[in-house]
Amino acid sequence: MSDAKSSSTPTPATRPSLSPTYALRRKLPDNGLGKALFSLGMSVRVPYFGTILPYVDEMRPGYCRVTAPKWFGVYNHIHTFHAIAACNLAEVAMGMLMEATTPTTHRWIPKGMTADYLTKATTRLSAVATLAEPVDFAAIDSGRDVVVSISITDTHGVEVVHCEITTWVTPTA
């Protein structure tokens, strides 16, 4: 993964302080143990996420990559990764992106999701969430839709599901 900053990464002026979730992720070691501890804690905080055994591999403003294994808990009737389990993975990736991106001066909530199921998912999955366009949080004074684009791929790099999740972002004050 590239460490290059995305054009949608907020500047320090528009991201005055980190969310508690992102601050915790940054405090933990940037290795397998730190990522596993963070992923476990996230699943305890949001228990439904735990149903897919998510692993937050990379999380920074404007970008998040989360993986989930193919195990019997996510199977559908033909033993492939269930479409709604894939949507759960998309929501994890979107949520962690928004936690890393949204300054404490604002809050966000999911508003809607579209999902395109492109092909059967027969392996573990990876979800990469990015902002559909740059966000100037300083300009959000009453509320605005922010769209997060999520590409879900299998271990062969084939996109199996594509989601767009619209979040509603408002100032906290």
Side-chain angles (χ1 to χ4, degrees):
M1 298 300 126
S2 168
D3 286 334
K5 296 294 181 196
S6 163
S7 63
S8 32
T9 302
T11 64
T14 60
R15 194 173 51 84
S17 60
L18 306 177
S19 73
T21 303
Y22 189 47
L24 173 63
R25 177 62 203 105
R26 290 184 48 145
K27 282 184 186 177
L28 293 169
D30 190 21
N31 59 25
L33 178 62
K35 293 173 184 181
L37 288 172
F38 179 79
S39 298
L40 178 62
M42 177 199 61
S43 293
V44 168
R45 177 91 167 121
V46 187
Y48 186 69
F49 285 171
T51 63
I52 60 165
L53 306 176
Y55 180 82
V56 181
D57 187 49
E58 190 172 352
M59 177 182 175
R60 65 176 187 263
Y63 182 89
C64 185
R65 181 174 183 272
V66 182
T67 62
K70 183 181 172 220
W71 68 290
F72 74 88
V74 298
Y75 283 177
N76 58 21
H77 65 290
I78 58 173
H79 286 238
T80 61
F81 211 105
H82 195 285
I84 298 306
C87 287
N88 192 7
L89 178 62
E91 191 166 1
V92 172
M94 172 280 302
M96 295 303 98
L97 174 142
M98 290 303 289
E99 284 295 304
T101 306
T102 307
T104 57
T105 57
H106 290 75
R107 63 179 153 234
W108 64 271
I109 189 164
K111 184 176 173 184
M113 174 192 283
T114 62
D116 294 317
Y117 307 112
L118 307 172
T119 190
K120 287 189 279 188
T122 60
T123 70
R124 68 183 290 112
L125 298 179
S126 296
V128 172
T130 56
L131 291 171
E133 61 184 49
V135 179
D136 179 6
F137 287 95
I140 301 174
D141 56 6
S142 63
R144 176 180 159 207
D145 285 344
V146 172
V147 178
V148 178
S149 181
I150 305 100
S151 175
I152 301 176
T153 57
D154 64 15
T155 59
H156 308 291
V158 174
E159 186 173 30
V160 296
V161 178
H162 186 86
C163 294
E164 299 282 326
I165 300 178
T166 302
T167 64
W168 180 244
V169 177
T170 58
T172 55

